[in-house]
Amino acid sequence: MGYRRPATPDSLLVWQVAVDDSQRGRGLAGKMLDALFERATSTGVRYLDTTITPDNDASIRLFTSFAKRWDATLERSEFLAAAEFPEPHEPEDLFRVGPLNASAD
């Protein structure tokens, strides 16, 4: 699931990547991201943005490998501190991948 923000039309915020437990470990999440951005880059999207909690190693690996496949830079910065959530929650870091100029290998 993603969202193209009107204020930044060259960026697509990926909100959720979900793969059924029975299908995990087969590279499907990466293939879904590649397919999504293959289409999105043809409409002017050049950046993937997402937020990830620091303890979510699987998502960090997913977006790190996406950046490598697309030969793009991955920048990680603080986004939301734990105290900014109304209920207990890990902080969220912003990951930005780009620029995305060509299809993944």
Side-chain angles (χ1 to χ4, degrees):
M1 181 184 327
Y3 176 68
R4 193 166 178 180
R5 297 176 287 173
T8 54
D10 67 339
S11 178
L12 183 67
L13 175 68
V14 173
W15 188 254
Q16 195 84 40
V17 178
V19 175
D20 187 77
D21 287 342
S22 68
Q23 301 301 309
R24 291 191 180 153
R26 298 179 183 201
L28 293 176
K31 290 175 185 175
M32 288 189 301
L33 281 178
D34 289 342
L36 174 64
F37 277 88
E38 182 72 34
R39 289 189 308 273
T41 56
S42 70
T43 65
V45 169
R46 296 291 171 247
Y47 294 92
L48 175 158
D49 293 333
T50 194
T51 63
I52 306 173
T53 58
D55 65 345
N56 190 336
D57 293 332
S59 287
I60 292 169
R61 281 192 308 272
L62 172 64
F63 289 96
T64 299
S65 66
F66 175 84
K68 288 179 183 175
R69 280 194 311 280
W70 283 76
D71 193 28
T73 300
L74 183 145
E75 296 176 357
R76 181 178 182 172
S77 59
E78 291 181 8
F79 184 63
L80 295 171
E84 294 181 70
F85 292 93
E87 297 181 11
H89 193 285
E90 291 292 313
E92 294 272 349
D93 290 339
L94 177 66
F95 286 70
R96 176 164 250 229
V97 178
L100 304 169
N101 294 312
S103 64
D105 293 337

XYZ file of all heavy atoms in Angstrom:
824
model
N 0.849 -1.155 0.000
C 0.000 0.000 0.000
C 0.902 1.227 0.000
O 1.894 1.278 0.707
C -0.890 -0.024 1.251
C -1.825 1.136 1.328
S -2.832 1.247 2.842
C -3.124 -0.408 3.304
N 0.577 2.181 -0.828
C 1.380 3.382 -0.900
C 0.529 4.607 -1.159
O -0.664 4.508 -1.453
N 1.167 5.754 -1.046
C 0.472 7.019 -1.201
C 1.396 8.020 -1.881
O 2.524 8.225 -1.437
C 0.042 7.537 0.175
C -0.605 8.891 0.155
C -1.854 9.084 -0.428
C 0.032 9.985 0.736
C -2.457 10.332 -0.434
C -0.567 11.231 0.736
C -1.809 11.395 0.156
O -2.405 12.624 0.148
N 0.903 8.614 -2.941
C 1.658 9.656 -3.641
C 1.176 11.003 -3.114
O 0.047 11.415 -3.357
C 1.435 9.538 -5.141
C 2.402 10.348 -5.938
C 2.351 9.920 -7.376
N 3.244 10.714 -8.184
C 3.388 10.558 -9.465
N 2.707 9.617 -10.103
N 4.216 11.307 -10.137
N 2.036 11.673 -2.372
C 1.664 12.922 -1.723
C 1.636 14.069 -2.726
O 2.602 14.266 -3.468
C 2.640 13.229 -0.596
C 2.580 12.162 0.489
C 3.602 12.388 1.562
N 4.918 12.050 1.025
C 6.051 12.251 1.659
N 6.064 12.824 2.825
N 7.199 11.897 1.124
N 0.547 14.844 -2.755
C 0.447 15.958 -3.711
C 1.579 16.978 -3.572
O 2.022 17.532 -4.565
C -0.908 16.595 -3.387
C -1.699 15.499 -2.772
C -0.700 14.667 -2.007
N 2.065 17.195 -2.359
C 3.133 18.174 -2.142
C 4.479 17.697 -2.680
O 5.366 18.511 -2.937
C 3.249 18.496 -0.657
N 4.642 16.386 -2.835
C 5.896 15.818 -3.349
C 5.563 14.755 -4.394
O 5.699 13.558 -4.137
C 6.753 15.211 -2.220
O 5.961 14.272 -1.501
C 7.289 16.285 -1.285
N 5.125 15.175 -5.588
C 4.658 14.210 -6.592
C 5.751 13.273 -7.118
O 5.434 12.268 -7.736
C 4.093 15.093 -7.703
C 4.763 16.407 -7.520
C 5.027 16.553 -6.046
N 7.017 13.581 -6.850
C 8.087 12.685 -7.304
C 8.425 11.619 -6.269
O 9.382 10.879 -6.417
C 9.336 13.483 -7.682
C 9.998 14.161 -6.504
O 9.339 14.370 -5.460
O 11.189 14.514 -6.629
N 7.604 11.526 -5.206
C 7.851 10.573 -4.134
C 6.601 9.742 -3.870
O 5.487 10.256 -3.890
C 8.240 11.328 -2.858
O 8.435 10.429 -1.799
N 6.812 8.455 -3.614
C 5.724 7.566 -3.234
C 6.025 7.055 -1.832
O 7.091 6.475 -1.597
C 5.599 6.396 -4.207
C 4.455 5.427 -3.959
C 3.105 6.109 -4.197
C 4.572 4.225 -4.888
N 5.113 7.311 -0.908
C 5.250 6.824 0.453
C 4.668 5.417 0.513
O 3.476 5.231 0.257
C 4.513 7.738 1.431
C 4.479 7.250 2.878
C 5.871 7.296 3.491
C 3.510 8.075 3.696
N 5.503 4.448 0.811
C 5.046 3.068 0.964
C 4.667 2.896 2.423
O 5.508 2.998 3.320
C 6.131 2.057 0.542
C 5.690 0.633 0.867
C 6.428 2.201 -0.933
N 3.385 2.657 2.637
C 2.859 2.579 3.988
C 2.899 1.156 4.527
O 3.161 0.929 5.692
C 1.421 3.105 3.998
C 0.875 3.228 5.367
C -0.057 2.414 5.951
C 1.229 4.196 6.353
N -0.310 2.827 7.234
C 0.478 3.930 7.506
C 2.120 5.269 6.367
C 0.575 4.686 8.657
C 2.219 6.026 7.518
C 1.457 5.732 8.640
N 2.657 0.179 3.671
C 2.573 -1.195 4.147
C 3.004 -2.151 3.042
O 2.634 -1.965 1.885
C 1.121 -1.499 4.524
C 0.919 -2.733 5.344
C 1.126 -2.469 6.820
O 0.715 -1.451 7.318
N 1.772 -3.377 7.500
N 3.782 -3.149 3.405
C 4.100 -4.265 2.522
C 3.727 -5.521 3.299
O 4.257 -5.757 4.379
C 5.599 -4.301 2.141
C 5.892 -5.507 1.271
C 6.017 -3.018 1.448
N 2.795 -6.281 2.760
C 2.320 -7.464 3.486
C 2.418 -8.709 2.615
O 2.032 -8.688 1.451
C 0.872 -7.258 3.929
N 2.947 -9.760 3.211
C 3.039 -11.064 2.556
C 2.537 -12.090 3.561
O 2.939 -12.079 4.735
C 4.498 -11.383 2.140
C 4.602 -12.786 1.577
C 5.016 -10.357 1.148
N 1.662 -12.968 3.127
C 1.132 -14.015 3.991
C 2.271 -14.849 4.575
O 3.280 -15.112 3.902
C 0.184 -14.909 3.186
C -0.521 -15.917 4.069
O -1.469 -15.519 4.767
O -0.099 -17.099 4.061
N 2.098 -15.248 5.824
C 3.124 -16.056 6.498
C 3.579 -17.243 5.665
O 4.766 -17.569 5.628
C 2.610 -16.576 7.844
C 2.526 -15.491 8.903
O 3.162 -14.436 8.743
O 1.811 -15.715 9.906
N 2.657 -17.889 4.981
C 2.997 -19.095 4.212
C 3.864 -18.792 2.996
O 4.464 -19.700 2.425
C 1.723 -19.804 3.754
O 1.028 -19.024 2.789
N 3.959 -17.528 2.606
C 4.709 -17.159 1.412
C 5.991 -16.377 1.722
O 6.716 -15.991 0.809
C 3.827 -16.319 0.482
C 2.564 -17.039 0.041
C 2.873 -18.331 -0.681
O 3.667 -18.378 -1.610
N 2.236 -19.411 -0.242
N 6.273 -16.151 2.981
C 7.462 -15.373 3.362
C 8.739 -16.137 3.041
O 8.771 -17.351 3.010
C 7.395 -15.012 4.837
C 6.288 -14.001 5.057
C 6.315 -13.383 6.408
N 5.195 -12.439 6.482
C 4.589 -12.105 7.584
N 4.997 -12.597 8.729
N 3.588 -11.263 7.560
N 9.786 -15.378 2.773
C 11.079 -15.967 2.467
C 11.260 -16.322 1.001
O 12.250 -16.922 0.618
N 10.329 -15.930 0.156
C 10.388 -16.247 -1.274
C 10.699 -15.024 -2.137
O 10.651 -15.116 -3.360
C 9.060 -16.852 -1.728
C 8.732 -18.149 -1.029
C 7.422 -18.701 -1.480
N 7.103 -19.908 -0.756
C 6.257 -20.808 -1.180
N 5.631 -20.653 -2.327
N 6.017 -21.877 -0.467
N 10.949 -13.891 -1.494
C 11.279 -12.684 -2.243
C 10.079 -11.936 -2.803
O 10.241 -11.046 -3.633
N 8.877 -12.284 -2.352
C 7.676 -11.661 -2.906
C 7.570 -10.178 -2.572
O 7.149 -9.382 -3.415
C 6.425 -12.389 -2.427
C 6.249 -13.811 -2.934
C 5.022 -14.451 -2.315
C 6.156 -13.827 -4.448
N 7.943 -9.784 -1.370
C 7.853 -8.369 -0.997
C 8.743 -7.522 -1.911
O 8.325 -6.464 -2.390
C 8.239 -8.177 0.464
N 9.943 -7.985 -2.173
C 10.841 -7.265 -3.074
C 10.298 -7.202 -4.491
O 10.370 -6.164 -5.154
N 9.708 -8.298 -4.948
C 9.115 -8.312 -6.294
C 7.936 -7.356 -6.385
O 7.748 -6.686 -7.405
C 8.688 -9.729 -6.667
C 9.867 -10.653 -6.902
C 9.418 -12.079 -7.157
C 10.630 -12.992 -7.264
N 10.247 -14.390 -7.391
N 7.131 -7.290 -5.313
C 6.010 -6.346 -5.315
C 6.504 -4.908 -5.365
O 5.968 -4.089 -6.120
C 5.125 -6.558 -4.087
C 4.300 -7.820 -4.138
S 3.054 -7.964 -2.832
C 4.024 -7.891 -1.339
N 7.533 -4.592 -4.569
C 8.087 -3.231 -4.603
C 8.655 -2.910 -5.978
O 8.446 -1.808 -6.504
C 9.182 -3.065 -3.546
C 8.740 -2.846 -2.116
C 9.954 -2.761 -1.204
C 7.885 -1.600 -1.986
N 9.389 -3.849 -6.557
C 9.955 -3.621 -7.894
C 8.858 -3.351 -8.916
O 8.962 -2.424 -9.719
C 10.806 -4.814 -8.334
C 12.108 -4.930 -7.574
O 12.552 -3.942 -6.955
O 12.697 -6.028 -7.608
N 7.790 -4.150 -8.892
C 6.693 -3.970 -9.850
C 5.998 -2.629 -9.636
O 5.683 -1.921 -10.606
C 5.695 -5.119 -9.728
N 5.774 -2.275 -8.387
C 5.137 -0.995 -8.078
C 5.969 0.167 -8.596
O 5.463 1.077 -9.258
C 4.941 -0.868 -6.566
C 4.407 0.466 -6.056
C 3.001 0.723 -6.577
C 4.439 0.483 -4.526
N 7.266 0.132 -8.351
C 8.112 1.252 -8.752
C 8.472 1.221 -10.227
O 8.772 2.252 -10.803
C 9.323 1.375 -7.823
C 8.937 2.119 -6.587
C 8.418 1.454 -5.501
C 9.001 3.504 -6.549
C 7.990 2.140 -4.385
C 8.579 4.204 -5.441
C 8.078 3.521 -4.349
N 8.412 0.070 -10.848
C 8.566 0.018 -12.308
C 7.468 0.867 -12.949
O 7.717 1.663 -13.846
C 8.481 -1.430 -12.794
C 8.684 -1.583 -14.284
C 10.116 -1.358 -14.711
O 11.032 -1.695 -13.957
O 10.310 -0.834 -15.829
N 6.244 0.694 -12.460
C 5.120 1.498 -12.978
C 5.217 2.951 -12.526
O 4.979 3.872 -13.300
C 3.790 0.898 -12.527
C 3.450 -0.401 -13.220
C 2.031 -0.872 -12.920
N 1.707 -0.930 -11.498
C 1.932 -1.968 -10.707
N 2.499 -3.054 -11.202
N 1.591 -1.955 -9.438
N 5.545 3.167 -11.266
C 5.545 4.526 -10.707
C 6.601 5.421 -11.344
O 6.351 6.607 -11.571
C 5.742 4.466 -9.197
N 7.776 4.863 -11.661
C 8.812 5.704 -12.268
C 8.397 6.197 -13.648
O 8.830 7.264 -14.076
C 10.173 4.984 -12.355
O 10.018 3.767 -13.076
C 10.748 4.718 -10.974
N 7.524 5.464 -14.318
C 7.059 5.918 -15.634
C 6.093 7.098 -15.518
O 5.786 7.744 -16.522
C 6.394 4.765 -16.398
O 5.159 4.425 -15.807
N 5.635 7.403 -14.299
C 4.751 8.547 -14.091
C 5.433 9.668 -13.321
O 4.770 10.569 -12.812
C 3.470 8.122 -13.331
O 3.836 7.685 -12.023
C 2.725 7.036 -14.075
N 6.760 9.608 -13.214
C 7.513 10.696 -12.597
C 7.968 10.474 -11.171
O 8.629 11.338 -10.602
N 7.655 9.336 -10.577
C 8.129 9.057 -9.222
C 9.615 8.756 -9.263
O 10.079 7.977 -10.100
C 7.341 7.885 -8.588
C 7.989 7.416 -7.298
C 5.903 8.296 -8.348
N 10.370 9.386 -8.379
C 11.821 9.185 -8.320
C 12.311 8.751 -6.943
O 13.472 8.419 -6.780
C 12.557 10.463 -8.732
C 12.301 10.867 -10.165
C 12.940 9.873 -11.132
N 12.534 10.129 -12.495
C 11.775 9.333 -13.226
N 11.323 8.210 -12.732
N 11.449 9.634 -14.457
N 11.403 8.778 -5.948
C 11.803 8.442 -4.579
C 10.784 7.531 -3.916
O 9.581 7.689 -4.114
C 11.960 9.710 -3.720
C 13.090 10.573 -4.192
C 12.860 11.594 -5.115
C 14.391 10.360 -3.748
C 13.898 12.376 -5.578
C 15.436 11.148 -4.209
C 15.180 12.148 -5.122
O 16.218 12.916 -5.586
N 11.280 6.607 -3.131
C 10.458 5.772 -2.265
C 10.707 6.264 -0.847
O 11.850 6.367 -0.419
C 10.885 4.317 -2.389
C 10.230 3.282 -1.485
C 10.360 1.908 -2.098
C 10.745 3.285 -0.073
N 9.642 6.587 -0.139
C 9.727 6.943 1.275
C 8.956 5.903 2.069
O 7.910 5.414 1.625
C 9.108 8.320 1.541
C 9.884 9.453 0.901
O 11.110 9.306 0.700
O 9.270 10.497 0.614
N 9.462 5.568 3.249
C 8.760 4.675 4.153
C 9.244 4.939 5.561
O 10.312 5.529 5.752
C 8.964 3.191 3.771
O 8.012 2.385 4.471
C 10.382 2.721 4.055
N 8.461 4.538 6.545
C 8.910 4.628 7.928
C 8.995 3.218 8.493
O 8.179 2.349 8.169
C 7.958 5.482 8.799
O 6.679 4.872 8.863
C 7.848 6.897 8.236
N 10.021 3.020 9.325
C 10.281 1.698 9.896
C 10.755 1.876 11.339
O 11.580 2.756 11.611
C 11.374 0.941 9.098
C 11.027 0.854 7.612
C 11.611 -0.443 9.687
C 12.135 0.271 6.744
N 10.256 1.029 12.222
C 10.761 1.051 13.593
C 12.172 0.462 13.609
O 12.486 -0.434 12.818
C 9.847 0.249 14.546
O 9.743 -1.085 14.074
C 8.469 0.891 14.653
N 13.033 0.967 14.480
C 14.430 0.504 14.497
C 14.609 -0.993 14.741
O 15.629 -1.566 14.356
C 15.062 1.314 15.632
C 14.224 2.532 15.741
C 12.820 2.075 15.407
N 13.617 -1.648 15.345
C 13.752 -3.076 15.637
C 13.200 -3.975 14.531
O 13.229 -5.193 14.654
C 13.082 -3.414 16.967
C 11.574 -3.202 16.944
O 11.065 -2.532 16.014
O 10.890 -3.701 17.862
N 12.724 -3.401 13.432
C 12.117 -4.192 12.355
C 13.178 -4.563 11.318
O 13.261 -3.981 10.242
C 10.961 -3.420 11.717
C 10.153 -4.280 10.777
O 10.628 -5.271 10.247
N 8.919 -3.874 10.549
N 13.989 -5.546 11.671
C 15.108 -5.948 10.814
C 14.653 -6.415 9.430
O 15.316 -6.147 8.433
C 15.936 -7.050 11.482
C 16.651 -6.555 12.727
O 16.968 -5.349 12.806
O 16.888 -7.375 13.632
N 13.526 -7.121 9.354
C 13.058 -7.635 8.065
C 12.733 -6.479 7.107
O 13.111 -6.516 5.939
C 11.832 -8.522 8.256
N 12.052 -5.455 7.589
C 11.722 -4.311 6.724
C 12.972 -3.524 6.354
O 13.102 -3.067 5.215
C 10.710 -3.389 7.407
O 9.443 -3.996 7.428
N 13.882 -3.382 7.286
C 15.135 -2.675 6.987
C 15.886 -3.423 5.887
O 16.377 -2.808 4.934
C 15.984 -2.505 8.263
C 15.273 -1.530 9.223
C 17.395 -2.018 7.912
C 15.870 -1.489 10.616
N 15.948 -4.756 5.981
C 16.611 -5.550 4.931
C 15.882 -5.406 3.597
O 16.519 -5.280 2.542
C 16.678 -7.026 5.334
C 17.769 -7.351 6.321
C 17.989 -8.849 6.474
N 16.775 -9.599 6.763
C 16.290 -9.820 7.980
N 16.921 -9.345 9.036
N 15.187 -10.522 8.136
N 14.551 -5.421 3.621
C 13.760 -5.293 2.392
C 14.079 -3.996 1.667
O 14.369 -3.997 0.462
C 12.260 -5.359 2.722
C 11.301 -5.044 1.576
C 11.420 -6.070 0.452
C 9.873 -4.967 2.109
N 14.052 -2.874 2.359
C 14.269 -1.595 1.706
C 15.743 -1.349 1.384
O 16.054 -0.689 0.400
C 13.649 -0.464 2.531
C 12.142 -0.511 2.464
C 11.404 -1.135 3.450
C 11.476 0.024 1.375
C 10.024 -1.215 3.375
C 10.091 -0.046 1.281
C 9.362 -0.663 2.279
N 16.642 -1.919 2.163
C 18.070 -1.840 1.836
C 18.351 -2.608 0.544
O 19.063 -2.111 -0.345
C 18.915 -2.389 2.999
O 18.664 -1.593 4.163
C 20.402 -2.349 2.664
N 17.786 -3.801 0.413
C 18.013 -4.582 -0.808
C 17.311 -3.931 -2.011
O 17.835 -3.983 -3.127
C 17.571 -6.037 -0.631
O 16.183 -6.132 -0.451
N 16.172 -3.304 -1.789
C 15.500 -2.562 -2.865
C 16.420 -1.455 -3.384
O 16.599 -1.313 -4.595
C 14.177 -1.967 -2.349
C 13.480 -1.096 -3.345
C 12.649 -1.640 -4.315
C 13.639 0.282 -3.312
C 11.999 -0.822 -5.243
C 12.997 1.102 -4.225
C 12.178 0.543 -5.201
N 17.020 -0.697 -2.484
C 17.930 0.385 -2.886
C 19.103 -0.171 -3.695
O 19.493 0.408 -4.711
C 18.433 1.138 -1.662
N 19.649 -1.292 -3.276
C 20.770 -1.899 -4.009
C 20.342 -2.342 -5.400
O 21.052 -2.107 -6.374
C 21.344 -3.078 -3.222
C 22.108 -2.655 -2.001
C 22.639 -3.854 -1.227
C 23.329 -3.392 0.035
N 23.753 -4.506 0.878
N 19.176 -2.992 -5.504
C 18.699 -3.445 -6.820
C 18.474 -2.273 -7.765
O 18.679 -2.393 -8.965
C 17.396 -4.239 -6.685
C 17.558 -5.650 -6.257
C 16.308 -6.487 -6.466
N 15.083 -5.888 -5.961
C 14.702 -5.900 -4.680
N 15.475 -6.461 -3.769
N 13.554 -5.352 -4.328
N 18.027 -1.163 -7.241
C 17.719 0.008 -8.061
C 18.918 0.955 -8.171
O 18.809 2.044 -8.729
C 16.505 0.735 -7.490
C 15.230 0.030 -7.829
C 14.741 -1.117 -7.261
C 14.297 0.397 -8.836
N 13.551 -1.466 -7.846
C 13.260 -0.551 -8.813
C 14.230 1.454 -9.745
C 12.162 -0.483 -9.674
C 13.141 1.521 -10.588
C 12.126 0.555 -10.555
N 20.062 0.544 -7.634
C 21.286 1.351 -7.678
C 20.997 2.776 -7.195
O 21.332 3.766 -7.851
C 21.877 1.362 -9.097
C 23.292 1.910 -9.125
O 24.003 1.793 -8.107
O 23.678 2.484 -10.162
N 20.344 2.855 -6.036
C 19.923 4.137 -5.480
C 20.465 4.299 -4.066
O 20.808 3.322 -3.392
C 18.397 4.222 -5.461
N 20.513 5.508 -3.622
C 20.950 5.830 -2.276
C 19.812 5.585 -1.292
O 18.653 5.860 -1.596
C 21.371 7.317 -2.206
O 22.427 7.531 -3.128
C 21.810 7.714 -0.818
N 20.148 5.070 -0.115
C 19.184 4.939 0.964
C 19.614 5.870 2.084
O 20.726 5.774 2.586
C 19.122 3.499 1.474
C 18.066 3.254 2.558
C 17.460 1.868 2.398
C 18.627 3.422 3.943
N 18.741 6.805 2.434
C 19.000 7.725 3.544
C 18.045 7.380 4.675
O 16.856 7.142 4.442
C 18.780 9.168 3.107
C 19.734 9.630 2.037
C 19.423 11.034 1.546
O 18.427 11.636 2.005
O 20.180 11.520 0.696
N 18.572 7.374 5.881
C 17.764 7.058 7.069
C 17.872 8.228 8.036
O 18.976 8.693 8.322
C 18.296 5.783 7.719
C 17.548 5.338 8.940
C 18.142 4.045 9.458
N 17.420 3.552 10.623
C 17.644 2.368 11.165
N 18.560 1.555 10.657
N 16.951 2.001 12.214
N 16.719 8.703 8.514
C 16.721 9.819 9.456
C 15.622 9.618 10.500
O 14.671 8.862 10.280
C 16.516 11.143 8.719
O 15.300 11.147 7.999
N 15.771 10.302 11.624
C 14.739 10.240 12.648
C 13.483 10.892 12.104
O 13.539 11.895 11.401
C 15.200 10.967 13.899
C 16.323 10.268 14.616
C 16.743 11.012 15.886
O 16.050 11.978 16.278
O 17.767 10.638 16.452
N 12.331 10.305 12.431
C 11.074 10.837 11.931
C 10.103 11.118 13.071
O 9.741 12.250 13.306
C 10.477 9.875 10.905
C 9.220 10.367 10.259
C 9.222 11.513 9.490
C 8.035 9.682 10.422
C 8.065 11.981 8.890
C 6.868 10.130 9.821
C 6.882 11.282 9.050
N 9.675 10.082 13.784
C 8.764 10.249 14.912
C 9.357 9.583 16.147
O 9.667 8.393 16.128
C 7.402 9.617 14.607
C 6.585 10.247 13.487
C 5.377 9.387 13.165
C 6.149 11.653 13.875
N 9.491 10.353 17.213
C 9.981 9.806 18.470
C 8.869 9.009 19.148
O 7.679 9.257 18.908
C 10.445 10.936 19.384
N 9.232 8.076 19.987
C 8.241 7.259 20.696
C 7.265 8.133 21.474
O 6.067 7.837 21.539
C 8.954 6.278 21.620
N 7.748 9.228 22.031
C 6.904 10.118 22.837
C 5.824 10.823 22.014
O 4.866 11.348 22.571
C 7.771 11.152 23.544
N 5.959 10.841 20.692
C 4.979 11.520 19.844
C 3.734 10.683 19.588
O 2.747 11.195 19.044
C 5.624 11.910 18.515
C 6.722 12.956 18.689
C 7.334 13.358 17.383
O 6.648 14.025 16.587
O 8.513 13.004 17.160
N 3.750 9.419 19.973
C 2.594 8.550 19.792
C 1.709 8.611 21.026
O 2.208 8.683 22.151
C 3.040 7.107 19.518
C 3.710 6.929 18.194
C 5.089 7.020 18.071
C 2.958 6.679 17.053
C 5.706 6.858 16.847
C 3.569 6.512 15.826
C 4.947 6.609 15.718
N 0.387 8.555 20.850
C -0.509 8.644 22.006
C -0.468 7.395 22.895
O -0.812 7.465 24.062
C -1.898 8.809 21.381
C -1.770 8.287 19.993
C -0.340 8.495 19.588
N -0.062 6.284 22.338
C 0.068 5.037 23.095
C 1.502 4.539 22.943
O 2.212 4.959 22.031
C -0.915 4.006 22.564
C -2.367 4.425 22.732
C -3.346 3.384 22.220
O -2.929 2.257 21.934
O -4.528 3.733 22.125
N 1.943 3.620 23.795
C 3.313 3.111 23.672
C 3.603 2.602 22.257
O 2.814 1.837 21.691
C 3.357 1.969 24.691
C 2.325 2.336 25.706
C 1.232 3.017 24.925
N 4.700 3.065 21.700
C 5.065 2.714 20.321
C 6.551 2.973 20.150
O 7.095 3.922 20.709
C 4.277 3.602 19.349
C 4.328 3.139 17.916
N 5.435 3.311 17.116
C 3.405 2.524 17.160
C 5.178 2.820 15.912
N 3.945 2.332 15.917
N 7.186 2.138 19.367
C 8.585 2.360 19.029
C 8.696 3.626 18.165
O 7.748 3.982 17.471
C 9.129 1.168 18.240
C 9.256 -0.094 19.046
C 10.334 0.024 20.096
O 11.445 0.479 19.789
O 10.040 -0.335 21.258
N 9.849 4.276 18.172
C 10.023 5.407 17.248
C 9.967 4.907 15.805
O 10.125 3.718 15.540
C 11.416 5.945 17.591
C 12.107 4.821 18.278
C 11.044 3.989 18.937
N 9.716 5.816 14.889
C 9.697 5.497 13.459
C 10.802 6.301 12.787
O 10.879 7.528 12.959
C 8.351 5.868 12.826
C 7.183 5.048 13.325
C 6.969 3.760 12.554
O 7.590 3.561 11.485
O 6.159 2.942 13.033
N 11.653 5.621 12.025
C 12.685 6.287 11.229
C 12.182 6.417 9.800
O 11.482 5.538 9.295
C 13.990 5.488 11.233
C 14.684 5.507 12.582
O 14.409 6.423 13.383
O 15.496 4.605 12.838
N 12.546 7.506 9.156
C 12.193 7.718 7.757
C 13.310 7.157 6.892
O 14.485 7.473 7.094
C 12.008 9.201 7.471
C 11.712 9.566 6.020
C 10.351 9.020 5.590
C 11.761 11.081 5.832
N 12.951 6.314 5.958
C 13.878 5.779 4.968
C 13.492 6.390 3.623
O 12.323 6.351 3.242
C 13.763 4.257 4.877
C 14.377 3.525 6.036
C 13.800 3.572 7.294
C 15.537 2.792 5.865
C 14.359 2.900 8.361
C 16.108 2.108 6.929
C 15.514 2.170 8.178
N 14.474 6.940 2.923
C 14.237 7.517 1.596
C 15.205 6.854 0.626
O 16.411 6.857 0.828
C 14.446 9.014 1.598
C 14.296 9.626 0.200
C 14.126 11.114 0.301
N 12.754 11.397 -0.081
C 12.418 12.319 -0.965
N 13.320 13.086 -1.502
N 11.158 12.489 -1.283
N 14.652 6.276 -0.439
C 15.444 5.608 -1.466
C 15.298 6.392 -2.759
O 14.188 6.707 -3.178
C 14.976 4.145 -1.693
C 15.780 3.488 -2.796
C 15.049 3.351 -0.399
N 16.430 6.711 -3.371
C 16.357 7.422 -4.651
C 17.632 8.135 -4.969
O 18.575 8.125 -4.180
N 17.682 8.745 -6.105
C 16.607 8.765 -7.094
C 16.505 7.431 -7.842
O 17.492 6.721 -8.021
C 17.003 9.876 -8.054
C 18.486 9.968 -7.958
C 18.827 9.552 -6.542
N 15.281 7.121 -8.232
C 14.986 5.907 -8.984
C 14.800 6.309 -10.443
O 13.846 6.986 -10.776
C 13.710 5.253 -8.454
C 13.721 4.937 -6.951
C 12.337 4.547 -6.482
C 14.716 3.856 -6.646
N 15.746 5.919 -11.273
C 15.725 6.367 -12.655
C 15.516 5.263 -13.670
O 15.201 5.525 -14.805
C 17.034 7.086 -12.990
C 17.175 8.353 -12.208
O 16.251 9.166 -12.138
N 18.320 8.549 -11.591
N 15.730 4.052 -13.265
C 15.632 2.934 -14.206
C 15.063 1.740 -13.477
O 15.010 1.697 -12.259
C 17.006 2.592 -14.780
N 14.651 0.738 -14.230
C 14.085 -0.455 -13.617
C 15.161 -1.227 -12.855
O 16.347 -1.119 -13.140
C 13.444 -1.332 -14.674
O 14.422 -1.802 -15.567
N 14.690 -2.020 -11.890
C 15.598 -2.872 -11.124
C 16.128 -3.981 -12.019
O 15.502 -4.385 -12.975
C 14.860 -3.470 -9.925
N 17.306 -4.482 -11.650
C 17.900 -5.605 -12.400
C 17.237 -6.903 -12.008
O 16.771 -7.094 -10.953
C 19.390 -5.702 -12.115
C 20.138 -4.503 -12.682
O 19.622 -3.873 -13.620
O 21.221 -4.206 -12.162
